[in-house]
């Protein structure tokens, strides 16, 4: 999976969690919750989705890495690089 | 009654991934989520209806009474959409007319930040800067805050000596989750801010409709729902959950998610012998929250009542007072008015009066005294309502009361607690899985995890942990992220 694939996966998850938000214009280096209406339950949803879709466990101490899109991509790409997009 | 006893466990599997004990909003929401995550879930409910405190009952004359329907925050829409269905979430509607009437003031409000700011400034004469700072402080409160400050101290800081303002800020939250001036300020700040976001909401269709929809969704997702099924014991060996006994029958499971009361779960269902002494010390310190009395009034078919408000906080007490609010000699009542819009097409009205109450005040009465006191409660409630709905006695054709004993009978909660436990219960609930592998608890704890929204969201938080636990049982399945 490429960096672009991982970014797309995060966008897909965000689209499910916050369907009323415009996620197409997300800036990768600004905090997600400053751009779209996300609360702590929404971040929990991201963690649950990653576990469900990819069997990836994000420990609580690593939640801070999910604050920005760039953070998500750099944190998750090493874990997903050997997976195919269909998984 | 010679009917052969029905086997409510007929066709049950011999083992499940998770047994969820109790179908309150926390239990149902976690069961739904775990099933959607692919786990085999059994949901066991002792009562014939699901919903726990989110319940209703029907009476002759076409009456439907809701117990706790009116008054959850806007956040419930999102919770219903994400963890239930889009259709369910679309039925949430706002209650726009929240009323206060007491010796200190009489106010109508839409119960949101804009209107509250306006009223605090215009009606109570509080400076804008103070109001703004109070909102910022309340909104900024979180788990990590200093727990020493109480709500009383918070109010004293921003509105010194202004018991009228305290009442305006506190009465609705006491109604919503049983909290008082002496609870940690952060419990107030979190719940108050949730409401102030957009106001107060309810579910169009009534509680019966909501629970029916939820039941269908649970079945669609493969949850094995069993009503009339009492979980009697959680089996634990070597600090691991092994199974449960339901209606005398043993069923294996890898995990248990208890939506039963926290203390019942630890002391009765699991058994103290499985916990270490340090943890049990914490358990002993957990205070149950108070219970409630309610009076249900059904309006005659064809009769109407004018729109006098959706929620009415009425009191004849001089000031807001925690002790007085719990007193059996009732001075404060919250009336929930259910107009035909709640169940479109039915054209029926009902009114439910709620007061906070202590179990021991009702439990100790003789049977005849209990009956008499219930009757008196009904009559004094009608007297109090007359001020707002003139001629109410002619409009009502069904009235009955429930007490803390009634709540205990239907929910099995110790002392009939209608708001779970006080704040210290949250840590014990969270720490339960560290004591016993596979044992989880979700339900009203710590005030912030109370009410419809708090309970449902806590169900999600605990379902997440249960899912994590179940996946870790299969070695090699999980990639643990590390940077």
């Amino acid at each position: 999976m490429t960096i672009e694939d991982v970014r797309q996966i995060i966008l897909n998850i965000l689209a499910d969690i916050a369907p009323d938000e415009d996620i197409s214009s997300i800036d990768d280096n600004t905090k997600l919750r400053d751009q779209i209406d996300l609360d702590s339950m929404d971040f929990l949803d991201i963690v649950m989705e990653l576990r469900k879709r990819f069997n990836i466990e994000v420990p609580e101490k690593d939640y801070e890495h999910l604050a920005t899109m760039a953070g998500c991509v750099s944190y998750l790409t090493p874990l997903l690089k050997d997976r195919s997009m269909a998984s | 009654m010679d009917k052969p006893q029905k086997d409510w466990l007929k066709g049950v599997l011999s083992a499940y991934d998770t047994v969820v004990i109790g179908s309150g909003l926390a239990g149902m929401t976690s069961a739904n989520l775990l099933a959607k995550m692919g786990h085999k879930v059994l949901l066991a409910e002792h009562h014939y209806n699901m919903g726990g405190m989110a319940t209703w009952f029907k009476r002759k004359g076409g009456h439907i009474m809701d117990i706790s329907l009116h008054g959850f925050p806007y956040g419930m829409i999102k919770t219903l959409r994400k963890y239930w269905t889009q259709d369910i979430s679309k039925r949430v509607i706002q209650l726009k007319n929240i009323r206060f009437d007491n010796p200190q003031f009489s106010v109508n409000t839409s119960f949101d930040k804009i209107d509250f700011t306006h009223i605090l400034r215009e009606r109570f004469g509080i400076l804008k800067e103070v109001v703004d700072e109070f909102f910022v402080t309340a909104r900024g409160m979180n788990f990590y805050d200093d727990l020493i400050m109480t709500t009383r101290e918070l109010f004293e800081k921003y509105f010194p000596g202004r018991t009228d303002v305290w009442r305006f800020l506190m009465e609705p939250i006491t109604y919503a989750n049983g909290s008082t001036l002496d609870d940690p300020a952060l419990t107030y700040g979190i719940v108050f801010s949730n409401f102030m976001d957009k106001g107060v909401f309810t579910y169009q269709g009534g509680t019966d409709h909501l629970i029916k929809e939820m039941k269908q969704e649970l079945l669609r997702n493969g949850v094995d729902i069993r009503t009339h099924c009492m979980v009697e014991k959680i089996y634990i060996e070597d600090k691991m959950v092994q199974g449960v006994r339901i209606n005398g029958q043993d069923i294996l499971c890898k995990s248990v998610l208890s939506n039963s009361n926290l203390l019942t779960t630890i002391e009765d269902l699991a058994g103290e012998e499985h916990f270490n002494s340090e943890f049990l010390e914490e358990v002993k310190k957990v205070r149950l929250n108070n219970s409630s009395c309610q009076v249900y009034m059904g309006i005659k078919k064809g009769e109407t009542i004018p729109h006098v408000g959706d929620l009415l906080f009425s009191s004849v007490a001089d000031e807001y007072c925690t002790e007085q609010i719990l007193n059996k000699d009732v001075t404060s009542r919250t009336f929930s008015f259910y107009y035909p819009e709640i169940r479109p097409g039915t054209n029926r009205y009902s009114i439910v009066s709620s007061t906070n109450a202590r179990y021991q005040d009702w439990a100790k009465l003789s049977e005849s005294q209990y009956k008499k006191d219930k009757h008196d409660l009904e009559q004094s409630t009608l007297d109090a309502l007359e001020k707002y709905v003139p001629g109410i006695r002619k409009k009502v054709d069904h009235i009955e009361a429930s007490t803390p004993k009634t709540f205990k009978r239907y929910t099995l909660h110790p002392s009939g607690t209608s708001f779970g436990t006080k704040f210290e219960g949250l840590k014990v609930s969270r720490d339960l899985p560290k004591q016993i592998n596979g044992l989880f608890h979700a339900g009203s704890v710590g005030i912030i995890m109370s009410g419809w929204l708090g309970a449902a969201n806590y169900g999600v938080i605990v379902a997440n942990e249960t899912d994590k636990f179940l996946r870790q049982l299969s070695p090699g399945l999980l990639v643990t992220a590390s940077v």
Side-chain angles (χ1 to χ4, degrees):
Chain A
M1 224 182 270
T2 64
I3 285 173
E4 287 71 37
D5 292 338
V6 174
R7 190 176 187 280
Q8 191 54 51
I9 284 162
I10 302 297
L11 284 178
N12 293 347
I13 292 175
L14 288 175
D16 285 347
I17 293 169
D20 301 331
E21 300 281 346
D22 175 20
I23 55 163
S24 60
S25 58
I26 279 181
D27 175 66
D28 284 21
N29 295 305
T30 307
K31 278 190 176 174
L32 288 167
R33 64 192 313 168
D34 292 343
Q35 304 178 72
I36 52 178
D37 187 16
L38 290 180
D39 58 26
S40 55
M41 292 300 292
D42 296 321
F43 278 92
L44 187 64
D45 292 336
I46 298 175
V47 171
M48 287 194 285
E49 278 304 310
L50 289 170
R51 189 191 301 129
K52 188 165 139 194
R53 295 186 193 194
F54 305 106
N55 277 323
I56 287 179
E57 187 60 42
V58 182
E60 229 161 291
K61 64 173 171 57
D62 289 350
Y63 282 9
E64 57 188 283
H65 295 289
L66 306 181
T68 62
M69 179 57 92
C72 289
V73 170
S74 66
Y75 181 78
L76 294 170
T77 304
L79 300 163
L80 289 168
K81 65 178 192 308
D82 298 332
R83 311 277 187 94
S84 65
M85 193 65 180
S87 70
Chain B
M1 298 270 183
D2 290 317
K3 256 199 289 182
Q5 193 130 28
K6 185 172 168 180
D7 179 11
W8 295 99
L9 282 170
K10 194 176 174 201
V12 79
L13 302 178
S14 57
Y16 290 83
D17 294 319
T18 305
V19 170
V20 176
I21 305 174
S23 65
L25 282 180
M28 284 198 293
T29 306
S30 55
N32 197 41
L33 217 53
L34 285 167
K36 279 207 270 191
M37 288 162 171
H39 304 296
K40 269 268 153 243
V41 181
L42 174 75
L43 177 56
E45 167 59 52
H46 86 99
H47 192 40
Y48 58 83
N49 256 346
M50 298 168 68
M53 286 281 290
T55 195
W56 74 98
F57 61 85
K58 294 181 175 180
R59 287 294 180 264
K60 259 187 207 158
H63 299 296
I64 305 178
M65 308 291 185
D66 297 284
I67 309 302
S68 61
L69 176 60
H70 265 12
F72 46 77
Y74 181 73
M76 194 70 188
I77 296 177
K78 200 161 143 183
T79 287
L80 290 171
R81 174 177 56 73
K82 290 198 298 183
Y83 312 118
W84 289 98
T85 68
Q86 182 87 12
D87 287 348
I88 292 176
S89 73
K90 279 184 178 160
R91 285 183 166 264
V92 173
I93 53 169
Q94 189 174 6
L95 298 171
K96 291 181 181 141
N97 189 2
I98 312 302
R99 240 178 116 180
F100 293 78
D101 186 45
N102 59 60
Q104 288 174 300
F105 54 88
S106 210
V107 164
N108 286 52
T109 172
S110 51
F111 210 79
D112 52 57
K113 193 178 160 188
I114 295 167
D115 198 43
F116 253 52
T117 303
H118 175 78
I119 291 169
L120 284 169
R121 291 179 63 191
E122 303 299 322
R123 174 67 182 73
F124 293 98
I126 308 292
L127 291 175
K128 183 181 184 301
E129 295 70 38
V130 176
V131 176
D132 289 348
E133 207 191 315
F134 174 74
F135 272 109
V136 170
T137 304
R139 166 58 76 191
M141 287 181 161
N142 63 58
F143 287 118
Y144 311 105
D145 284 337
D146 189 356
L147 278 180
I148 293 165
M149 188 190 230
T150 63
T151 305
R152 188 191 302 279
E153 285 157 351
L154 174 74
F155 290 169
E156 190 66 69
K157 183 177 169 190
Y158 287 96
F159 315 106
R162 291 298 301 271
T163 56
D164 53 345
V165 174
W166 300 11
R167 175 180 233 158
F168 181 55
L169 296 172
M170 193 69 219
E171 257 180 4
I173 307 303
T174 301
Y175 163 75
N177 65 16
S179 78
T180 72
L181 288 171
D182 302 309
D183 287 311
L186 83 89
T187 63
Y188 177 83
I190 291 171
V191 177
F192 178 70
S193 301
N194 279 343
F195 279 110
M196 281 296 120
D197 192 19
K198 297 237 167 56
V200 184
F201 293 78
T202 194
Y203 180 88
Q204 191 169 48
T207 319
D208 46 333
H209 186 279
L210 173 70
I211 300 301
K212 194 181 89 202
E213 292 292 305
M214 286 182 163
K215 185 179 174 185
Q216 279 164 5
E217 177 66 8
L218 286 165
L219 292 172
R220 269 194 295 273
N221 290 321
V223 175
D224 191 349
I225 301 171
R226 303 283 172 161
T227 56
H228 303 82
C229 281
M230 174 83 89
V231 177
E232 297 148 345
K233 195 71 202 159
I234 301 169
Y235 294 119
I236 298 162
E237 256 171 56
D238 301 327
K239 303 266 174 199
M240 282 278 284
V241 166
Q242 308 290 330
V244 291
R245 187 177 70 229
I246 304 177
N247 292 359
Q249 186 174 331
D250 290 349
I251 293 168
L252 297 174
C253 60
K254 295 172 188 160
S255 62
V256 163
L257 195 159
S258 176
N259 184 209
S260 176
N261 178 272
L262 178 62
L263 300 183
T264 310
T265 303
I266 294 167
E267 292 166 354
D268 301 343
L269 293 173
E272 290 188 355
E273 65 275 19
H274 297 291
F275 300 90
N276 72 32
S277 54
E278 212 175 309
F279 182 77
L280 288 175
E281 281 301 307
E282 297 293 315
V283 174
K284 296 269 177 293
K285 286 182 205 150
V286 174
R287 294 161 298 163
L288 292 171
N289 218 326
N290 57 264
S291 184
S292 311
C293 286
Q294 289 189 313
V295 178
Y296 313 93
M297 292 157 281
I299 305 298
K300 252 181 239 171
K301 194 172 180 182
E303 248 330 322
T304 62
I305 50 171
H307 204 293
V308 293
D310 295 303
L311 278 174
L312 166 59
F313 300 100
S314 96
S315 177
V316 293
D318 290 338
E319 288 186 359
Y320 173 91
C321 167
T322 302
E323 276 305 297
Q324 216 163 351
I325 271 187
L326 291 170
N327 213 312
K328 194 151 163 287
D329 187 12
V330 177
T331 51
S332 299
R333 295 179 168 82
T334 303
F335 292 106
S336 302
F337 293 90
Y338 295 95
Y339 301 100
E341 301 91 90
I342 297 300
R343 289 186 176 78
T346 61
N347 207 28
R348 297 303 296 266
Y349 299 76
S350 66
I351 306 169
V352 178
S353 164
S354 304
T355 51
N356 293 9
R358 292 190 202 93
Y359 180 74
Q360 62 268 31
D361 287 346
W362 290 89
K364 65 186 182 199
L365 304 176
S366 68
E367 200 172 323
S368 60
Q369 190 65 39
Y370 179 73
K371 268 191 183 154
K372 183 187 176 299
D373 287 2
K374 262 173 80 160
H375 178 76
D376 290 350
L377 176 66
E378 291 164 12
Q379 294 307 312
S380 62
T381 302
L382 286 170
D383 290 342
L385 195 52
E386 180 70 25
K387 177 180 175 187
Y388 308 104
V389 186
I392 184 67
R393 284 173 189 275
K394 289 205 178 94
K395 294 174 186 282
V396 167
D397 72 347
H398 179 83
I399 184 163
E400 71 180 274
S402 66
T403 74
K405 280 177 77 171
T406 323
F407 284 96
K408 187 178 184 195
R409 185 164 77 241
Y410 287 107
T411 65
L412 304 179
H413 288 175
S415 299
T417 172
S418 44
F419 303 103
T421 73
K422 291 287 189 186
F423 189 71
E424 59 277 7
L426 181 54
K427 185 171 185 297
V428 171
S429 172
R430 305 283 291 142
D431 285 348
L432 203 55
K434 294 181 199 156
Q435 291 287 313
I436 291 161
N437 284 312
L439 180 58
F440 300 87
H441 171 264
S444 282
V445 280
I447 300 172
I448 43 177
M449 299 303 185
S450 296
W452 282 27
L453 178 61
N457 279 352
Y458 196 36
V460 174
I461 291 169
V462 178
N464 170 53
E465 264 137 48
T466 309
D467 177 51
K468 197 187 329 184
F469 169 80
L470 288 169
R471 281 170 197 257
Q472 279 165 348
L473 286 182
S474 318
L477 199 69
L478 197 77
V479 182
T480 302
S482 58
V483 177

